[in-house]
Amino acid sequence: MPDIVLTECLDTTVSKRWVRVALDLPLAELYDYWSGVPVEIGDRVIVLFGRRKMIGLVVGLPDTPDFDPAKVKEVQVVLKDIKHLTTSWLRFASFAAEYYQRPLGEVIMPALPMPLRSVSSYQGKRSGAGPVARLASRRTAAQQAVSASAIPALNPAQEQAVAAIVATQAFKTFLLYGVTGSGKTEVYLHAAAQTLARGQRVLMLVPEINLTPQFEQSLRARLEPVAGVNGVAVMHSALSDGERLRAWLRVQSGEARIVLGTRLAIFAPLDDVGLIVVDEEHDPSYKQQDGLRYSARDLAVWRAHDLGIPVVLGSATPSLESWANAEKATYQRLDLPARARDVTLPSVRLVDTRRLQMEHGLSPHLLEAMRIRLANKEQVLIFLNRRGYAPALHCRSCGWVSQCSRCTTFTVLHRAQASRAQLHCHHCGLVQSVPKGCPDCGDQDLQPMGRGTQRIEEHLAELFPQARIVRIDADSTRKKGSAQALFASVHAGEVDILVGTQMVAKGHDFANLGLVGVLNADAMLFSQDFRAPERLFAQLMQVAGRAGRHTGHGEVIVQTGYPEQAVYQALLKHDYAGFARHSILERQAAALPPFSYQALLSAEAQDLNVALDFLQAARESANELSAHYQTQEVLTLYDPVPLRIVRVDNMCRAQLLLESTNRPALQSLLRHWLKLLPEQLDARRVRWQLEVDPLEI
Ligand code: ADP
Ligand code: ZN
Ligand code: ZN
C-alpha cells in the first residue's frame, strides 16, 4: 500500500501551477485551479466548487488558465494516497466521454470507488488519513488458496482457438463462436494462462454478477500458480464500498494479475493488459442503462485497439453487429462447433399450446417429461421470464385490472412467503396492499391474471409434492450472497426443480440438468423493438444450453402459440448461423444497425406534450444543423414518439431517433447539437438525455 501523503497547500508564496480538473458535474467544462505544491496529471485533488468541496481529477496542467487568472482558486489538497491514474487510462475515459457525449468528469469520477471520490472520507479526525490508509490498517483474512483443478486436454477446435489468440500480440478482435457447452471457458483459461506467463495481465468481463463466483473459482483454481494467491480481483456493483476499494487498489497497484468483473470492470485502472475477454458478448447487460450509457463490449474493443492487444468476444449467439463484423473479416471468427464433453446438444420440442388442455399453464407434454426426468433423478429447469405471482389482478365481473397510479402499467401481484399478498409496480417501485374488493364494482372475487414465477412454483409444489423446488429470481435473491447460495444448492444436487427468470438462463454449467421447460416465451415475439427477435433467440438458445451439459440426452420443451415463427424454427435446429443470415438480410433491407448508426434523444415531462414539443424543437435544430453541414443525405430524423409505457412515476416519456449510415457524421452532428439543446429547454420542465448506440428502442 503506498504511503499516505496529504499535501496541504497553505503556502501561497510558492510559484503557482495551473491545474485543470474534471469534476463530477453535469456540465461539459473542465475547471482551472492553481496549486503551490507538485501535482501530476491523474492525481486527485480537493477543490472548492462554489462553496462546495469536491474531489476532482487532474486532467491537464495548462500554461495559462481558461479564465481570469486573478479569479482562479487554489487547490485545497492534493491527494497522494494512491498512485496517479495513467495517461492511458485517461485517454480511455476521454474516448468514452467523447463517444457517448458526456462530460469527462461524469465519466471519470464514477469510475473510481466511492471512498476515493467523496470528500467526506477525507474529513474529520478519524478519517483525516483517508480511506486508503484506513483500509491498510485494517487486518483482512488472507485469501484461502484454492486447490488446483485438473486441466482437461483441449480438443482440436479449442487448441486452434487458443493458438490463434496467443499468437496475436497486436490489436485484433476475435469472435469465439461456440455452441453452448463447447468449452469457451476453457479457451479463455488457456489463453489467460499464457498471457500471464508472458508477464501481462488479463481483463475478463462476464455479463452477470451471479456468474462471477463460478468464474472466480475456476480462474483461481487454474491460474493462482501463475498469478499468486491474491492474483484475481473481482469487480462488480454489488460489492460494498470497502470491498470495491480494496479490489480497485489491488488492480491499480499491480498485485491483481487478473481482473474479473461485470461491465464496470472495463474502467479498471490497468494498462499492462495482454488480453481482454468478453464472455457472452451479445448480452444486453453489457449496456449501462443510466448515467454514462456505455456498452462495455464496444469499449473493450476500443481499449484493446488502444493498447494494441487481442480481445476475445465469446458467444453461442453473437450479436448481429459482431456477426456482421466477422462476415466482413473485421473480426476473426474462431469456431467451436461441438460440445466439449462427449455429449450432443439437447433436442428441442415445440409444444403448440393452442389446441391443448393446460394444467396451470403447463402442458401435458411438459408434465410427462418432468415426471420421467425426476424419476431418473435428473434436475429440471422451468424458465419463465416474469417474476411475481401474477402479472396483474383482475375483476371478473367488471373487467377492472390492477394498475399503477403513477405509471401506465399493470401492477404485479406478489405473494411473498409468510407475508400478505401485495401489488408491486415493476416500473416505479410502488407497493400497494391488495384491495378487499373491486375498486370499481365492489365484487369480492378478485383473481390473479396470468402467471409469474411464484405462482408456477406454487403449482409445481402441488403437482410434485416430493420434489425439492427452488425459485431463483430477483425477489428470491435480494439478500447479499443468497443467489450464490441457491446456485450452490442446485450444483450440489439438493434441488430437483429449479424455477427461474433470465437469472438462471446464462452461463451456469449444471452437471445433472436434463430438461428445460420454457413458458410464455411468446411475450417477446411481438415487441416493437427491432432487436426483440435476436434477443429472444439468444435467450432461448442460452436457456436451452443448460440441458444435458454433462450427461447428454438433454431435452428442451418450448410452449408456444406460434410454433411456425422463424425464431422457434431456428431454435429447433440450433441454427444460429441461419437465423443470423436471415436477420442480417432484413436489417440490411431496412438499413437498420449494423448497417446504420443510431442515437436516441429521450425526454420526460409531467405533460406529454411538453416532452414532445421539446423533441420537435430539437428535431428542427438537428435538421438545420444537418443542412448546414450538408449531411441530410446520410441522416434520418424520425418523428418524436411517446414510449410504449408512456408514463412512469408520473413523468411522461417520449423519444426521438436519429439514424445515419455515416458514424463520424452522426458523431459530429451530435456534438454540435448537444450545445444547442439546453436552449430548447422549456423552463426546465423537461428532463432529457442522449444515448449513442441505444440497445432498446
Ligand atoms: P461454454 O462456456 O462454451 O458453454 P464450458 O466452458 O462451460 O462451455 O464447458 C462445458 C463443459 O465442458 C464444462 O463442464 C467443461 O469442464 C467441459 N470441457 C471443456 N473443455 C473440455 C475438454 N477439452 N475436454 C473435456 N471437457 C471439457
Ligand atoms: Zn369489478
Ligand atoms: Zn408505477
Side-chain angles (χ1 to χ4, degrees), residues 404 406-407 409 425 427-430 649:
C404 180
R406 303 197 291 219
C407 313
T409 53
C425 175
H427 291 269
C428 72
L430 183 74
D649 210 359

Side-chain angles (χ1 to χ4, degrees), residues 403-411 424-430 647-650:
Q403 252 173 336
C404 180
S405 54
R406 303 197 291 219
C407 313
T408 43
T409 53
F410 297 142
T411 45
H424 291 212
C425 175
H426 285 187
H427 291 269
C428 72
L430 183 74
R647 191 163 49 92
V648 165
D649 210 359
N650 284 329

Side-chain angles (χ1 to χ4, degrees), residues 395 398 438 441:
C395 168
C398 79
C438 173
C441 74

Side-chain angles (χ1 to χ4, degrees), residues 380-384 452-454 456-457 460 469-473 497-501 504:
V380 174
L381 166 61
I382 300 296
F383 172 67
L384 172 60
T453 45
Q454 290 181 343
I456 288 295
E457 180 190 19
L460 289 172
I469 305 177
V470 149
R471 172 169 54 87
I472 301 188
D473 58 24
I497 304 177
L498 171 60
V499 180
T501 55
V504 300

Side-chain angles (χ1 to χ4, degrees), residues 348-352 354 525 536-537 540-541 558 560 562-576 578-579 582:
V348 179
R349 189 143 59 113
L350 302 175
V351 171
D352 189 339
R354 283 171 298 192
L525 266 183
L536 175 59
F537 184 70
L540 292 175
M541 287 280 273
V558 181
T560 168
Y562 307 88
E564 68 292 340
Q565 288 278 325
V567 174
Y568 295 129
Q569 289 302 318
L571 183 73
L572 270 185
K573 294 178 276 179
H574 300 278
D575 186 16
Y576 168 80
F579 178 78
H582 165 83

